Amino acid sequence: AIASVKQQPYTHVEIIVIDDGSTDANTIEVLQKISGEVKVLHQPNSGPSVARNNAIRQSNGEYILALDSDNKIRPQYISKAVELLNTQPEV
């Protein structure tokens, strides 16, 4: 998910990762490694809706795109979405 966002030509993005109480050693290690390049927030296991809401509260962006760890977006997705949302506010 993070790699697909980083590969976007539209680079004015803020990436926030929520650790929803992970106990997996590999996940914790990966989160430590990426904490310098993305915002990593930790919370006790509370489920996906609480995690998303916490990320949204911490965001500074005009638009929100929620992705789960197993999601990927196409290379032009953000550029096209921002253009659409900026030119067609009724969407």
Side-chain angles (χ1 to χ4, degrees):
I2 294 171
S4 71
V5 173
K6 287 185 167 196
Q7 292 174 354
Q8 299 290 307
Y10 188 91
T11 58
H12 189 68
V13 297
E14 174 186 33
I15 300 174
I16 301 172
V17 175
I18 300 288
D19 169 19
D20 191 30
S22 179
T23 58
D24 177 69
N26 185 52
T27 299
I28 294 168
E29 182 180 338
V30 168
L31 292 175
Q32 288 173 343
K33 285 181 183 177
I34 66 169
S35 66
E37 54 190 278
V38 302
K39 186 185 289 186
V40 178
L41 306 173
H42 302 275
Q43 69 179 32
N45 182 265
S46 304
S49 61
V50 172
R52 280 206 174 106
N53 287 330
N54 284 337
I56 290 167
R57 274 192 287 280
Q58 294 295 316
S59 71
N60 295 304
E62 183 176 356
Y63 303 120
I64 303 292
L65 172 61
L67 296 173
D68 292 324
S69 61
D70 60 345
N71 294 149
K72 291 182 186 176
I73 55 176
R74 294 186 183 269
Q76 297 292 323
Y77 184 88
I78 294 176
S79 296
K80 289 180 179 183
V82 169
E83 180 182 350
L84 177 75
L85 293 167
N86 285 340
T87 60
Q88 299 181 38
E90 70 277 6
V91 172

